[in-house]
Amino acid sequence: METGWFRGDEACSFDSSWSPAINVFRTPTELHVCLDLAGVEPTSISVEFAEGQLVVRGERVCPQPEIVDPSKGRIEVMEIDYGSFVRVIEVPVRLDLTSVRQVYDRGLMHLTLPLVSRTETEIPGSTETPSSVG
């Protein structure tokens, strides 16, 4: 009788694309981004900022047990996403990219992105601030 589980002959026989979950918090001085990257080696992660977007790329290899020989067993359930990923986060504020902090702890990547203070973006002698962001 079928149980409704995924049935397959080979573990991790295809490469998939996935998108990590994120939390974004904003304080008056910083933008905090947390990405769920469980199982991703920190050395495979790249973080870039371009044109008002934070772009995080990386890859999670297929999590599989020691026994992957079909003659010794078979996959019954496979729900953990793996493969390469790209997560693009729109950033509608100006950031000071000279002092970004990055911490990878227990599968979570925490990015702290300082905001450019309002006084740094003001035009001298004007009460208006520039309208462009990023």
Side-chain angles (χ1 to χ4, degrees), residues 37 39-47 57-61 85 102 104 109:
L37 299 175
V40 177
E41 289 294 328
T43 55
S44 80
I45 302 167
S46 76
V47 178
R57 290 181 167 82
E59 184 171 358
R60 176 164 52 203
V61 296
F85 70 87
Q102 178 179 329
Y104 189 86
M109 181 196 296

Side-chain angles (χ1 to χ4, degrees), residues 25-32 93-96 112-120:
F25 302 93
R26 182 175 169 182
T27 70
T29 59
E30 297 173 321
L31 192 66
H32 297 267
V93 293
R94 293 183 53 111
L95 301 174
D96 174 6
T112 303
L113 307 155
L115 301 177
V116 172
S117 70
R118 186 174 186 96
T119 56
E120 291 178 43

